[in-house]
Amino acid sequence: MTAAAAGTGALALPGLLLRLAGPLQSWGEHSHFSDRDTLAFPSRSGITGMLAAALGRPRHAPLDEFASLSITVRVDRAGNRLRDFHTVGGGLSGAQTVVTADGGRRTGDTTTLTSTRWYLQDAVFTVALTLTDRSTPPPTWATALSNPCWPLYLGRRSCPPAGPVLLGTSTDALHDLTHLPLATRADQYGQSSGAKQAAVPVLFLSDQPLPFGNPGPGEDQGQGAQPHSTVLDVPLDFTPGHRRYRTRPLYRRTLALPASLQKGYGTQQLQALAAYASPSYTPAHEGSPAR
């Protein structure tokens, strides 16, 4: 089945489908020392790091195997931004304060260090991982995400996922990305119980053009064909002390999806995901090896 037949307007792309949800997520782009920011969506570096952790790759390992990775994000629930203000070293004795670069200890009015860290609260994203050469992602990726070598987290170690990350595999990942149940309620888009809507606007973000689907309110059919902006989140090296990144284009598009896809929060959406069926989709539990 082609994606054109499914409404995506291009040949079908095989890939993996992920659900990134949790109380907190943080996907830094320009984080540095005392100021740790977060993007409003999962970053390529964060998802690449998640794959590498699942596969058991050390931080100094080459990232060549992820060079052709393409990421398309569906924003089910954008969440709210949380500012976490930290202090370190205040009120401690001289022997317990923060260590300085020369091996000493901070004294007097310099004992307290502050930092600001930003998070997304209660956000939910559905993500399609495909390859730019249109081939099928290595089976080891799905196996590793189902049975990770190291714990997975949503951008930072303090942000564990709320459940299994891998939803399943697909021979037409973009088709299934636009048909999987949404983690939203009907009233999230101003829909009351007495006034039903046929469609709801849902934001999609990708490192590749998004010229498919029915455009949302105020958008034309060509929206998503040109980059919206750039993001500094392509990892070149994860080695501590030598981390390097480059920019990539960010394509952005709002699609009108059927309102019937809205399945609520928590267990309601999880049950809908478990019941989802498509000729192109294989749930993760069907292909997972026994523990």
Side-chain angles (χ1 to χ4, degrees):
M1 176 180 179
T2 66
T8 54
L11 292 176
L13 283 172
L16 310 181
L17 293 159
L18 314 183
R19 181 178 185 268
L20 304 182
L24 295 175
Q25 305 186 33
S26 189
W27 309 95
E29 181 185 14
H30 298 294
S31 295
H32 194 63
F33 297 111
S34 59
D35 189 9
R36 305 301 179 97
D37 68 342
T38 182
L39 291 167
F41 51 87
S43 64
R44 182 186 177 96
S45 60
I47 291 176
T48 301
M50 182 183 297
L51 271 173
L55 290 162
R57 304 290 187 264
R59 287 187 177 272
H60 60 268
L63 300 176
D64 298 345
E65 64 183 302
F66 308 115
S68 62
L69 176 65
S70 179
I71 299 169
T72 303
V73 176
R74 186 185 78 180
V75 182
D76 286 30
R77 194 160 73 240
N80 299 304
R81 285 170 60 85
L82 169 69
R83 178 176 181 263
D84 188 12
F85 181 71
H86 278 243
T87 62
V88 180
L92 300 176
S93 66
Q96 295 176 306
T97 58
V98 177
V99 178
T100 61
D102 60 6
R105 296 280 178 174
R106 287 180 173 267
T107 60
D109 294 337
T110 67
T111 57
T112 303
L113 295 180
T114 63
S115 67
T116 300
R117 306 178 188 192
W118 290 93
Y119 298 88
L120 301 177
Q121 300 179 96
D122 299 322
V124 180
F125 305 97
T126 306
V127 179
L129 303 185
T130 57
L131 300 180
T132 55
D133 63 5
R134 313 188 75 86
S135 63
T136 301
T140 52
W141 288 11
T143 301
L145 288 170
S146 294
N147 299 273
C149 178
W150 294 321
L152 307 182
Y153 47 87
L154 306 177
R156 291 194 191 140
R157 290 190 184 93
S158 60
C159 304
V165 166
L166 181 67
L167 290 175
T169 60
S170 173
T171 57
D172 196 349
L174 297 183
H175 165 81
D176 287 308
L177 187 63
T178 58
H179 288 76
L180 281 162
L182 287 161
T184 58
R185 296 188 310 227
D187 58 4
Q188 178 168 330
Y189 296 101
Q191 177 182 342
S192 66
S193 57
K196 294 185 178 180
Q197 290 177 287
V200 293
V202 179
L203 178 63
F204 287 76
L205 303 154
S206 182
D207 49 23
Q208 301 293 320
L210 294 166
F212 61 82
N214 297 318
E219 294 203 1
D220 57 39
Q221 193 64 39
Q223 192 78 23
Q226 299 297 324
H228 172 272
S229 57
T230 59
V231 189
L232 180 66
D233 72 344
V234 179
L236 302 177
D237 192 343
F238 279 145
T239 303
H242 300 279
R243 295 180 182 178
R244 295 183 298 120
Y245 304 87
R246 66 171 174 81
T247 59
R248 65 168 173 94
L250 177 66
Y251 295 84
R252 176 187 177 104
R253 189 174 192 201
T254 299
L255 297 182
L257 298 187
S260 58
L261 293 182
Q262 296 179 105
K263 299 301 181 182
Y265 301 157
T267 55
Q268 290 178 303
Q269 196 229 359
L270 293 177
Q271 290 170 352
L273 285 170
Y276 175 76
S278 163
S280 57
Y281 177 72
T282 303
H285 60 82
E286 289 187 9
S288 298
R291 290 181 180 274

